Amino acid sequence: MGQYLTERAARGLIQGWRFLKVLGYWQYQSKGAAPIVLGLLTEHIPDVQGAWHFALDYLRQYFERVMAQQPELPDEPRNFWGRSP
């Protein structure tokens, strides 16, 4: 897929999309079988965080919001049926 997009972008067929361009790949193909990609080399974009850092930041912000919320507690304790003991 990456090679397909890289080739189309080089010909000017894809515009307005941002993706990592494939610079090279390493594949293995035995007789009569489909090739298997063993390695992939893509361009590097400096100062861009990956998906893992994005996910960690999102989760951190979510838990900070949850921890900042103060739960409303009743004035007196209630039992399972909602009555005071």
Side-chain angles (χ1 to χ4, degrees):
M1 178 59 80
Q3 183 179 3
Y4 173 84
L5 292 173
T6 300
E7 290 171 0
R8 297 314 180 269
R11 290 189 223 158
L13 300 174
I14 298 175
Q15 296 176 358
W17 286 30
R18 183 67 183 129
F19 58 92
L20 296 177
K21 294 176 184 160
V22 175
L23 302 177
Y25 57 93
W26 182 36
Q27 71 179 15
Y28 172 78
Q29 183 174 7
S30 61
K31 290 183 181 180
I36 299 171
V37 176
L38 302 174
L40 186 66
L41 178 66
T42 60
E43 72 176 328
H44 173 71
I45 302 174
D47 300 326
V48 175
Q49 293 183 346
W52 179 248
H53 291 288
F54 176 78
L56 289 178
D57 286 341
Y58 184 84
L59 288 172
R60 180 185 49 78
Q61 292 171 7
Y62 170 77
F63 285 114
E64 284 177 357
R65 284 194 310 270
V66 169
M67 296 298 292
Q69 295 175 355
Q70 295 293 325
E72 294 184 24
L73 299 174
D75 294 336
E76 52 186 63
R78 306 264 182 207
N79 63 16
F80 179 74
W81 294 276
R83 296 184 223 138
S84 297

